Amino acid sequence: MNPLRLDSFDVFASIIRCGGFRAAALERGVSSSALSQTMNALEEALGIRLLNRTTRSVSPTEAGQRLLDRLSPALSDIRRAIAEIDELRDSPSGTLRINAPAPAVDHVLCPLAFDFMDAYPDVKIEIISDAAVIDIVERGFDAGVRFGKQLAQDMIALPLGPPLRYVIVASPDYIERHGEPQAPQDLVGHDCIRRRFPGGTLVTWRFIEGGEDIEIAPEGRLTVSSAQNELQAALAGRGIAHVFDDYARTHIQAGRLVELLSDWSPALPHWFLYYPNRRLPSAAMRAFLDFMRSYDWQARR
């Protein structure tokens, strides 16, 4: 039998947990070919095949599953021991990878991350802006940010940032030319700036006032794919926009935009930061979670 490297067993467990070489490679920050070489060496050293590999999937053989069942408790104990030692460091270190939609990145995650990096100079942060619903474990992320209804059941979720609110805005020039809608129904015939999600769905506009709940599919000549572009078009007098208050607040205060239908704007839930409940968070991740829980959001507004 060839010499065994103990880290090969952790690689083997990562491949099974992540469902393939590519996802495991992203999680570990190495190439897929490097993991493949490690697995080939492990199977050769043990003299038995541990993985069934196809072009579409990877799964353990009977021998691989038995090995994994025995390894998992030991690997968990090792990770816990390393985490306990890491807590003795003067400052956590490592890299955090977080996936979040652009609005959350712009107004919540970046301000939080910038201040966290001042407090923890040994931690690196990689923020990927992405509105699509993804498997953060498969894609090698430590955490993700989404609305509550989009979270997988096996995730731990924490509120991130203040409550959200959409606003309807237009430039004074547009209102002077086209008039000001007094109710959501008045938007029919107006040039609304539409926004399309990455998956192709057009964003609908929802209004609530008293017991009345109205959802409309806006009509207009311009369709964009980002809130920044929607805001840009509204500032240029190209129509009525539907954006988060965080995007429009300074422009409303400066008189560049006028808020419309304010009595109809519903309060929304927070963003949520979520992470896998089956994985022990690293010291850097635990520090980030503690920092987030004690963060003063009002001071940032």
Side-chain angles (χ1 to χ4, degrees), residues 171-278:
S171 70
D173 174 66
Y174 177 88
I175 294 172
E176 184 179 346
R177 288 184 285 117
H178 299 282
E180 180 176 342
Q182 301 300 313
Q185 297 87 341
D186 296 340
L187 291 170
V188 176
H190 273 277
D191 217 352
C192 297
I193 303 160
R194 307 192 305 170
R195 181 154 43 93
R196 193 181 296 277
F197 286 127
T201 304
L202 284 167
V203 176
T204 57
W205 297 5
R206 187 184 180 202
F207 302 91
I208 298 177
E209 203 278 327
E212 194 170 2
D213 190 331
I214 299 173
E215 188 168 327
I216 69 167
E219 293 294 333
R221 293 182 297 158
L222 179 64
T223 302
V224 296
S225 62
S226 77
Q228 289 281 16
N229 293 144
E230 189 174 350
L231 182 69
Q232 183 181 9
L235 288 167
R238 299 303 175 182
I240 297 176
H242 168 267
V243 294
F244 281 125
D245 172 64
D246 286 322
Y247 282 107
R249 188 184 311 115
T250 58
H251 297 291
I252 294 172
Q253 293 170 348
R256 292 185 291 269
L257 291 175
V258 176
E259 183 178 356
L260 309 172
L261 306 175
S262 59
D263 292 341
W264 290 84
S265 296
L268 301 173
H270 301 258
W271 293 109
F272 282 87
L273 182 135
Y274 65 100
Y275 59 97
N277 63 12
R278 63 181 181 274

Side-chain angles (χ1 to χ4, degrees), residues 11-24 36 39 43 50-61 65:
V11 168
F12 165 62
S14 294
I15 294 168
I16 298 301
R17 183 181 67 253
C18 294
F21 284 84
R22 181 176 178 274
S36 181
M39 279 306 306
E43 290 177 329
L50 301 175
L51 295 175
N52 293 315
R53 314 183 199 191
T54 70
T55 56
R56 293 182 176 271
S57 65
V58 174
S59 62
T61 62
Q65 187 61 55

Side-chain angles (χ1 to χ4, degrees), residues 106-170:
D106 290 341
H107 302 293
V108 179
L109 196 53
C110 273
L112 176 67
F114 297 161
D115 290 346
F116 175 80
M117 292 171 72
D118 287 338
Y120 295 91
D122 294 331
V123 177
K124 300 176 181 177
I125 299 183
E126 181 178 350
I127 298 174
I128 303 299
S129 178
D130 184 359
V133 178
I134 66 164
D135 185 329
I136 59 170
V137 174
E138 181 182 346
R139 299 282 292 275
F141 289 98
D142 296 283
V145 177
R146 293 295 184 273
F147 282 121
K149 64 182 181 181
Q150 297 176 309
L151 303 182
Q153 293 182 351
D154 60 346
M155 295 289 167
I156 297 173
L158 299 173
L160 175 63
L164 300 169
R165 178 174 172 265
Y166 272 113
V167 293
I168 304 299
V169 293

